[in-house]
Amino acid sequence: MKREVESRLARALREVARARGITAALPTPTMERPKKPEHGDFATNVALASAKVFGQKPQEIAAALRGALEGDPHFARIDVAGPGFLNVKLSPRAFHSALAEVLAEGRTFGRARAATGERINLEFVSANPTGPLHVGHGRSAVVGDIVGRLLDAAGHRVIREYYVNDAGNQVRLLAESVIAKARGEADPEGGYGANAYVDELGAWANDHYQELIETRAIAELSRRLVAVMLSGYTPGTGIQRTLRTLGIFHDVWSSEAAVHMDGRVERALDTLRKEGWLEDREGATFFLSTKLGDDKDRVVFKSDGGHTYFASDVAYHKDKLDRGFDRLIDVWGADHHGYIPRLSNALSALGLPKERFEVILVQMVSILKNGEPYRMGKRLGNFITIDEILEEIDEATGRPGSGRDAIRYYFAARRTDAHIDIDVEIAKKQSLDNPVYYLQYGHARLCSILKKGAEECGLLEGELPVDVDALAPLTHGDELAIVQLLAEWPDTIAEAARGREAHKIVTYLTTLTQSFQSYYTRLSKENDTILPRSSARADGSWRSDPATVAKVAARLAWVRAIRDVYAAGLELLGISAPERMDRVAVEETE
RNA sequence: GUGCCCGUAGCUCAGCUGGAUAGAGCGGCAGCCUUCUAAGCUGCUGGUCGCGCGUUCGAAUCGCGCCGGGCACGCCA
């Protein structure tokens, strides 16, 4: 819709320029939806932008453009306004043909028709398998998942990957803590003993891995513990189960230990050494990251002979590129931002294209309790897990799955580079008041209208009109404005995918809901309805007037288009789209 | 101290590839259910877009400098 107007405008601009003998490069004309409806359906500032090239006042150029555009049946009206804006109002038919396009594609409208984009490896969550996921992980998980859905919709081929840090100190410490717990010994330095789940885990491990604990077989115990931390040691535990509850899945689970065992780390480091990127000093081995602009050189082998995580990360990212991806996208907590230059430098040093490596930084989530900071962190003993929050919300609403919807909404609605404060007390109180229900209600209402239309008017969804002429009865200003909004859906997806910005989908859906809900109420104030009134539905009298029949059918088709875009939007967010939501009991006021 | 992110209504946040009178939700106040779901709608209330300078026809948006908050600056992850 917008593109059609823009191409007409571009043609007009070229005409006007030619008439004046102007050969210099012209600005690309762009149309946008004005904030004020009085400014028409679309507005452009191209006359202002062209003033220099033309050596003419913006108003004069705008007037000339109007002259060139007038007479085109696509437009109902063209005005020059303010300092030289050109405001255009489209003919109803332009809207009807835009709607016909939406109807032709239904739920796939706005998605890329074929996966012709990049092969993308999207790595997200990758939390250490040493404890349950907390809210910070939850944010990365939700953001990563939705970005993955967006990239799919934009025509990329996405592999979702979880990198399991199963080879380092942390898993060893967990094993030692579990042993200490099982034998009633003191927790090791930096151990996990202070965390409540370690009590449970210790007791469980004592029953299941008694021998490993007695012989202090730390390596083997670590291996087992990683597996159970991921898959769960009792029903209701496990990182994978938490992710599943959130509606999140990974295609590939890769193991850091495997990267080592295959010799991939060794090979990558050998290559770096051969190319002169490593230096032994002070008993350790450094990667010369400063040569490429980093602040410091970075250790790959510690003086105790062990490797750093950085060493295996280099090998792991090289491996991902070797697997043939056009792009690697990692979702990281913002506290790791200083890590980007060294990794990207290391990829360069290995002769790999570092511009294919990209990181989405997700800012911190701070937990407050009654306004006071509530410390998170695995070694502090008290942190809020995703499971706890999910349970609490499900319980508060009495609707399983509402916790997932609420959490996904909460994290999806905000830009990733904004810090988030969650006050657990307020979050609990607001769980029934979450804006996610507003979106879902909008969808339920649309579904309900379609259902009634099918059941009581015999207008089945699949048989609704989809061609331009049949849509002609749609003349209400609100109806046309919403069509324009629907026509923006493909651009919204593309833009959100390009910028990896999930929140744009939320913003779009909120606007769409507001527009529809507002129309819905206004229509009844205007003594009009989408479906015939119940009495006319019951006795079939509405069928006697062909104009009414055509109008009802056109409006239902329009409702279906909105519902389809809506459902597609909720699907991108991974939020359920209920077909009905029963009216909530109003609390009695005393 | 250096680097990155943030600072917009009482609160939580959109808007930021420069455009016309800066938006939404929550809160507060006042209204709207005999009709297709009131988990909704309408109106009112509420703003030095952190501060200053600059760039230009035009700045919440771009640049520079401050101020405030967060994060990172380990042979931790």
Side-chain angles (χ1 to χ4, degrees):
Chain A
M1 191 169 199
K2 182 171 133 188
R3 251 179 286 283
E4 280 205 31
V5 179
E6 280 173 348
S7 71
R8 285 171 154 86
L9 179 64
R11 205 180 314 141
L13 185 66
R14 283 196 300 272
E15 247 172 62
V16 171
R18 198 176 33 197
R20 268 145 235 251
I22 288 168
T23 52
L26 301 169
T28 309
T30 55
M31 282 287 177
E32 54 180 53
R33 187 157 48 95
K35 290 176 207 156
K36 302 281 161 192
E38 311 90 84
H39 294 146
D41 301 316
F42 285 104
T44 179
N45 65 349
V46 71
L48 286 90
S50 313
K52 273 211 182 109
V53 187
F54 278 71
Q56 243 185 324
K57 282 189 183 159
Q59 280 104 337
E60 290 169 17
I61 302 166
L65 286 172
R66 182 178 58 180
L69 290 169
E70 261 175 346
D72 186 331
H74 203 71
F75 303 114
R77 202 178 148 178
I78 301 167
D79 295 311
V80 176
F85 291 104
L86 205 59
N87 296 334
V88 308
K89 223 165 159 34
L90 302 187
S91 65
R93 199 179 166 82
F95 290 93
H96 300 145
S97 90
L99 178 58
E101 269 180 55
V102 183
L103 286 165
E105 299 191 42
R107 287 191 60 150
T108 60
F109 175 68
R111 295 184 70 94
R113 284 192 181 77
T116 52
E118 299 177 317
R119 274 200 74 207
I120 298 177
N121 180 287
L122 179 64
E123 185 210 324
F124 62 109
V125 190
S126 299
N128 272 343
T130 51
L133 298 180
H134 57 63
V135 287
H137 297 130
R139 187 176 187 189
S140 297
V142 168
V143 167
D145 179 64
I146 296 175
V147 167
R149 292 169 193 242
L150 283 171
L151 293 170
D152 276 333
H156 300 294
R157 287 157 295 170
V158 182
I159 295 292
R160 294 136 184 266
E161 189 150 332
Y162 189 121
Y163 181 54
V164 184
N165 288 121
D166 53 1
N169 270 330
Q170 299 308 314
V171 289
R172 185 179 48 78
L173 272 172
L174 179 68
E176 286 176 0
S177 290
V178 163
I179 291 173
K181 193 67 80 180
R183 307 182 135 209
E185 295 166 358
D187 198 50
E189 170 94 29
Y192 289 86
N195 297 280
Y197 68 87
V198 178
D199 294 336
E200 267 176 50
L201 185 61
W204 182 86
N206 205 26
D207 291 344
H208 292 76
Y209 298 138
Q210 203 178 355
E211 205 185 313
L212 297 176
I213 287 172
E214 271 169 18
T215 59
R216 294 188 187 270
I218 287 174
E220 181 57 22
L221 183 60
S222 302
R223 234 187 323 278
R224 303 285 180 97
L225 288 178
V226 166
V228 298
M229 289 315 295
L230 291 177
S231 62
Y233 48 94
T234 55
T237 62
I239 287 172
Q240 288 167 332
R241 191 203 50 83
T242 304
L243 290 173
R244 212 181 312 128
T245 309
L246 279 173
I248 294 168
F249 299 88
H250 288 84
D251 301 300
V252 176
W253 293 74
S254 28
S255 150
E256 185 195 359
V259 175
H260 280 283
M261 282 189 302
D262 293 6
R264 278 174 278 179
V265 175
E266 213 180 326
R267 280 201 297 278
L269 292 176
D270 280 351
T271 307
L272 286 177
R273 190 177 289 279
K274 223 173 291 165
E275 305 286 327
W277 289 99
L278 298 188
E279 192 175 287
D280 298 314
R281 104 174 56 121
E282 301 147 32
T285 302
F286 289 75
F287 166 62
L288 301 179
S289 197
T290 48
K291 277 188 166 178
L292 293 167
D294 199 357
D295 299 334
K296 292 175 183 161
D297 292 330
R298 306 295 175 176
V299 172
V300 287
F301 282 113
K302 302 184 272 186
S303 49
D304 69 4
H307 68 277
T308 59
Y309 272 71
F310 174 53
S312 43
D313 280 347
V314 171
Y316 171 57
H317 282 78
K318 170 175 162 42
D319 177 74
K320 285 196 280 187
L321 284 171
D322 289 347
R323 281 188 257 153
F325 291 104
D326 301 318
R327 184 170 299 277
L328 308 183
I329 301 179
D330 285 12
V331 181
W332 291 355
D335 52 344
H336 289 67
H337 72 263
Y339 208 79
I340 300 173
R342 75 189 71 166
L343 193 46
S344 124
N345 285 346
L347 294 176
S348 291
L350 285 167
L352 296 165
K354 73 168 176 188
E355 65 282 356
R356 294 191 182 180
F357 170 60
E358 176 185 326
V359 178
I360 299 175
L361 288 177
V362 179
Q363 280 295 340
M364 305 284 97
V365 180
S366 318
I367 302 293
L368 306 175
K369 190 155 189 166
N370 298 316
E372 293 290 310
Y374 199 64
R375 291 302 303 259
M376 285 196 309
K378 291 197 167 166
R379 294 167 217 179
L380 289 166
N382 52 351
F383 56 90
I384 310 283
T385 65
I386 290 291
D387 290 333
E388 289 173 68
I389 301 210
L390 288 170
E391 269 168 42
E392 262 171 29
I393 297 176
D394 278 356
E395 209 170 290
T397 58
R399 201 157 55 88
S402 62
R404 179 199 58 205
D405 291 338
I407 290 269
R408 291 189 69 109
Y409 180 90
Y410 200 81
F411 288 138
R414 286 158 170 77
R415 303 163 46 103
T416 53
D417 50 15
H419 305 252
I420 293 183
D421 286 342
I422 299 180
D423 191 305
V424 282
E425 293 308 317
I426 293 173
K428 272 189 232 169
K429 278 189 209 129
Q430 286 185 345
S431 57
L432 283 165
D433 204 26
N434 191 300
V436 73
Y437 307 125
Y438 178 69
L439 296 187
Q440 294 179 317
Y441 182 62
H443 179 264
R445 188 172 248 182
L446 292 159
C447 287
S448 166
I449 294 168
L450 289 169
K451 191 167 168 230
K452 276 216 162 67
E455 288 172 359
E456 299 179 25
C457 303
L459 294 167
L460 302 178
E461 255 187 59
E463 297 167 7
L464 294 171
V466 293
D467 65 285
V468 188
D469 294 320
L471 298 171
L474 294 169
T475 52
H476 196 291
D478 289 3
E479 290 162 358
L480 302 183
I482 289 175
V483 168
Q484 187 174 355
L485 210 45
L486 295 180
E488 287 170 16
W489 177 233
D491 284 343
T492 304
I493 294 180
E495 212 179 289
R498 196 177 339 110
R500 291 79 165 102
E501 296 169 303
H503 75 278
K504 293 212 159 150
I505 302 298
V506 175
T507 307
Y508 175 86
L509 288 181
T510 304
T511 307
L512 186 59
T513 317
Q514 274 166 350
S515 307
F516 178 75
Q517 301 279 35
S518 172
Y519 158 84
Y520 182 89
T521 307
R522 186 173 322 178
L523 202 62
S524 73
K525 293 267 153 63
E526 290 167 0
N527 210 23
D528 192 0
T529 52
I530 296 172
L531 295 171
R533 286 157 201 288
S534 53
S535 56
R537 287 206 300 272
D539 62 17
S541 61
W542 65 281
R543 292 184 180 281
S544 60
D545 177 18
T548 302
V549 174
K551 185 162 200 167
V552 170
R555 277 181 168 166
L556 279 175
W558 173 82
V559 167
R560 201 200 85 190
I562 302 171
R563 198 274 323 269
D564 284 347
V565 168
Y566 219 101
L570 289 173
E571 172 72 29
L572 279 178
L573 295 175
I575 291 173
S576 65
E579 290 184 12
R580 57 176 295 175
M581 285 174 81
D582 293 319
R583 190 169 165 174
V584 111
V586 183
E587 301 238 344
E588 291 296 324
T589 48
E590 78 261 27

